Amino acid sequence: QAQLAESGGGSVQRGDSLTLSCAAPGYITRRACMGWFRQAPGKEREGIACMSTTAVWTYYADSVQGRFTIYQDKAKNTLFLQIDSLKPEDTATYYCAADTSRSCGYDVIARLPDFEYRGQGTQVTVSS
């Protein structure tokens, strides 16, 4: 059963921006590494970014540097992913993940799909 709830996906045009949201219960956001990964049709899951709920440092996969911004609103227990200058190759289902027993860092981005909690995903479709 998903503990995280993503929203904000949709069908957009190349060059548009989207902000995805991930609502989480307080017992998770109190102390966790949270992040985003995606899966495109026929492709492997790809870690995008992560950040600790108790710190300000953010970590991004090399493949998404520059267009993706991860941030959080602690008061609302919500994690966000802003995606700018969307491209058709960004078309995928985007998932939020959280783990209360991991520390965030560049080395855990690829492990986001294996995190303790994950949502059901939100679809992003980018047309050219």
Side-chain angles (χ1 to χ4, degrees), residues 37-50:
F37 68 95
R38 65 184 177 182
Q39 187 164 25
K43 295 189 177 181
E44 296 290 320
R45 293 175 294 184
E46 177 188 18
I48 297 171
C50 63

Side-chain angles (χ1 to χ4, degrees), residues 42-79:
K43 295 189 177 181
E44 296 290 320
R45 293 175 294 184
E46 177 188 18
I48 297 171
C50 63
M51 69 181 303
S52 169
T53 59
T54 60
V56 299
W57 296 280
T58 56
Y59 306 90
Y60 296 91
D62 290 341
S63 60
V64 302
Q65 286 279 0
R67 297 192 297 117
F68 291 69
T69 304
I70 187 172
Y71 60 99
Q72 61 184 322
D73 184 331
K74 291 186 177 182
K76 297 183 178 179
N77 291 330
T78 302
L79 184 74

Side-chain angles (χ1 to χ4, degrees), residues 10-58:
S11 296
V12 297
Q13 298 287 323
R14 177 194 291 268
D16 286 349
S17 295
L18 269 182
T19 298
L20 308 181
S21 302
C22 172
Y27 66 85
I28 291 177
T29 62
R30 182 177 60 187
R31 187 180 182 89
C33 177
M34 295 187 70
W36 294 89
F37 68 95
R38 65 184 177 182
Q39 187 164 25
K43 295 189 177 181
E44 296 290 320
R45 293 175 294 184
E46 177 188 18
I48 297 171
C50 63
M51 69 181 303
S52 169
T53 59
T54 60
V56 299
W57 296 280
T58 56

Side-chain angles (χ1 to χ4, degrees), residues 103-127:
S103 297
C104 273
Y106 291 108
D107 59 326
V108 303
I109 293 174
R111 303 301 303 272
L112 280 160
D114 301 321
F115 271 27
E116 186 179 5
Y117 303 99
R118 61 181 256 182
Q120 293 186 331
T122 185
Q123 178 67 36
V124 173
T125 303
V126 185
S127 59

Side-chain angles (χ1 to χ4, degrees), residues 72-93:
Q72 61 184 322
D73 184 331
K74 291 186 177 182
K76 297 183 178 179
N77 291 330
T78 302
L79 184 74
F80 299 93
L81 182 71
Q82 179 179 326
I83 314 172
D84 297 319
S85 302
L86 278 153
K87 305 175 181 180
E89 50 264 44
D90 293 320
T91 295
T93 302

